[in-house]
Amino acid sequence: MTEQKTRVVVVGGGYAGTLAANHLRSRPDLNITLVNPRPVFVERIRLHQLVADTHAVGTVTVDYGTLLGDGIRLVVDGAEAIDTADRRVLLTSGAALDYDYLIYAVGSSGGLPAVRGAAEFAYSVADLESAQRLRHTLADLPSDAPVAVVGGGLTGIETASELAQTGRPVTLVCGGVLGPSLSARGRRSVGKTLRRLGVAVLESVAVSEVRWDEVVLSDGAVLPSAATVWTAGFGVPDLASRSGLRTDALGRLLTDETLTSVDDERIVAAGDAAAPSGHPLRMSCQAAGPLGAQAANTVLSRLDGKTPATISQAFVGQCISLGRELGTIQLARTDDTPVNIVVGGGSAARIKEAICKGTLWAIRREAAKPGSYYWLKGGKRSAQLVATQKVALG
């Protein structure tokens, strides 16, 4: 009689989920299913290029057939709820998937701003459909129509740069300082390039209202804007909270340092939707891939009867594209705090492009050689965080 394989369901087919599914194949006795609402993988780190129509190959989607290893089943559907008692994922179509272990990799989205008119008139670049909608809107506007980008973080910086390179007049409304995650030198490097591209940068002022053809600033000024792009804020799908699992204030699944849900050891999280010890890692591919591999390792360790390892993730910096020809590389300590060292100009742009290409290469390599994925280890997620988790979460 053939022994039934252990069923592992991965919910979410982004960078973390796809890497996790491939990594699980290092053990041959698993039945691996990847659930994703789209039939294609989205290169989220290129959505600002899609909006500006500057990506060389003209698309930011990739066929899962080129990314997933043999034997991984792809289910194109949404996840409505996780029935932890019966270990089932209830799907939007009405179907259900039974699991022995579940990897929760639902990713993130842009936050919904509580600003008058934003929901009606602002555009997002946080997901494929929103980016496509904005691209179509921009295609219908005159090339000299003003655009306002709201949010001084990396997404706002990259979006403003990409649009400005096409010749559009762009204003970046930071709401605070430009590039808050950067060092002083990093902010100067980015600011200099933005000015070179013609982007007007407004710091220490926010948007208080979005209208169909303008934005009202917190100081009362009115800024013309034929299209307002909202990049500030962060949100995650509410699947965990809908399923009765504990989350942090933003909805990320609360886990211990092995990425295991504090409520259910059969559920392991990875990527933007994970909050290990209530202290999530920065939203980035730099964290998503390693977290996917480590989530898979937690499942594999439990199947082998071993104690899972705690997560180990070292950062090296932040890569920022400033149009297609320029960029800034902000170097950082292993705990992700920036140092006052940057690389700018054309070399930084080439490094960023190589990293974007390398991210897909790493997923494909893991599909071909499960267990080969490598990431830098270290950082400062030490006993203090573990103690914090034990006290705060019980």
Side-chain angles (χ1 to χ4, degrees):
M1 184 175 180
T2 303
E3 186 175 349
Q4 183 176 350
K5 292 185 175 182
T6 299
R7 301 160 300 183
V8 183
V9 173
V10 181
V11 181
Y15 296 100
T18 306
L19 199 291
N22 283 338
H23 199 71
L24 287 167
R25 292 180 60 251
S26 56
R27 180 165 174 150
D29 59 342
L30 300 183
N31 185 324
I32 307 165
T33 301
L34 178 68
V35 180
N36 194 67
R38 301 183 189 88
V40 292
F41 178 91
V42 176
E43 288 190 87
R44 188 173 178 184
I45 54 179
R46 292 194 187 275
L47 286 177
H48 60 288
Q49 298 175 44
L50 173 69
V51 164
D53 199 18
T54 55
H55 185 32
V57 299
T59 181
V60 297
T61 59
V62 182
D63 191 318
Y64 276 114
T66 71
L67 294 178
L68 295 176
D70 293 341
I72 297 176
R73 176 191 176 199
L74 174 66
V75 173
V76 180
D77 209 334
E80 289 297 310
I82 302 168
D83 182 345
T84 57
D86 291 335
R87 294 180 194 157
R88 307 183 81 196
V89 182
L90 307 178
L91 304 178
T92 304
S93 64
L97 294 171
D98 296 321
Y99 67 86
D100 297 300
Y101 286 91
L102 182 144
I103 294 183
Y104 187 87
V106 297
S108 64
S109 62
L112 295 175
V115 172
R116 182 185 300 176
E120 294 86 357
F121 302 118
Y123 295 85
S124 172
V125 294
D127 58 76
L128 177 63
E129 291 75 20
S130 296
Q132 289 173 329
R133 175 171 169 255
L134 175 57
R135 181 186 186 182
H136 295 149
T137 296
L138 291 171
D140 291 336
L141 292 176
S143 60
D144 60 350
V147 174
V149 177
V150 183
L154 302 192
T155 302
I157 291 169
E158 291 193 326
T159 303
S161 302
E162 210 74 32
L163 292 172
Q165 183 182 298
T166 68
R168 290 190 177 278
V170 178
T171 300
L172 178 61
V173 185
C174 296
V177 300
L178 174 69
S181 64
L182 305 177
S183 67
R185 183 170 294 176
R187 286 192 288 274
R188 287 196 298 271
S189 174
V190 169
K192 179 180 178 180
T193 303
L194 288 172
R195 289 191 297 273
R196 177 176 171 180
L197 291 169
V199 177
V201 178
L202 303 181
E203 296 188 81
S204 302
V205 64
V207 171
S208 60
E209 181 181 356
V210 180
R211 298 170 181 167
W212 74 271
D213 61 346
E214 60 189 14
V215 294
V216 181
L217 303 181
S218 54
D219 60 4
V222 177
L223 181 70
S225 178
T228 300
V229 188
W230 201 281
T231 68
F234 173 90
V236 298
D238 62 351
L239 176 61
S241 59
R242 288 202 316 266
S243 304
L245 298 167
R246 278 182 285 177
T247 68
D248 69 3
L250 290 179
R252 290 170 289 213
L253 183 67
L254 287 175
T255 76
D256 63 17
E257 286 292 299
T258 72
L259 296 173
T260 303
S261 165
V262 296
D263 298 308
D264 191 331
E265 70 172 12
R266 297 281 181 150
I267 298 176
V268 183
D272 295 347
S277 302
H279 294 268
L281 279 69
R282 175 170 56 86
M283 183 185 79
S284 64
C285 288
Q286 195 173 171
L291 287 174
Q294 291 176 93
N297 281 340
T298 291
V299 172
L300 295 173
S301 293
R302 289 224 163 84
L303 291 173
D304 289 337
K306 299 177 181 178
T307 300
T310 58
I311 57 174
S312 181
Q313 165 72 51
F315 288 86
V316 296
Q318 302 171 61
C319 300
I320 310 160
S321 65
L322 299 168
R324 293 299 81 222
E325 300 173 357
L326 301 170
T328 293
I329 307 299
Q330 168 70 69
L331 300 183
R333 301 179 182 88
T334 57
D335 66 355
D336 203 28
T337 55
V339 297
N340 214 26
I341 302 173
V342 300
V343 177
S347 59
R350 290 188 290 273
I351 292 170
K352 173 62 183 284
E353 179 59 25
I355 289 173
C356 289
K357 291 179 178 177
T359 301
L360 285 186
W361 176 88
I363 294 174
R364 290 188 172 111
R365 177 174 170 79
E366 188 66 12
K369 299 182 65 176
S372 64
Y373 183 73
Y374 171 81
W375 69 95
L376 293 176
K377 300 176 176 64
K380 293 185 178 180
R381 298 188 66 82
S382 61
Q384 183 178 2
L385 281 181
V386 177
T388 300
Q389 185 266 337
K390 289 181 178 178
V391 171
L393 304 178

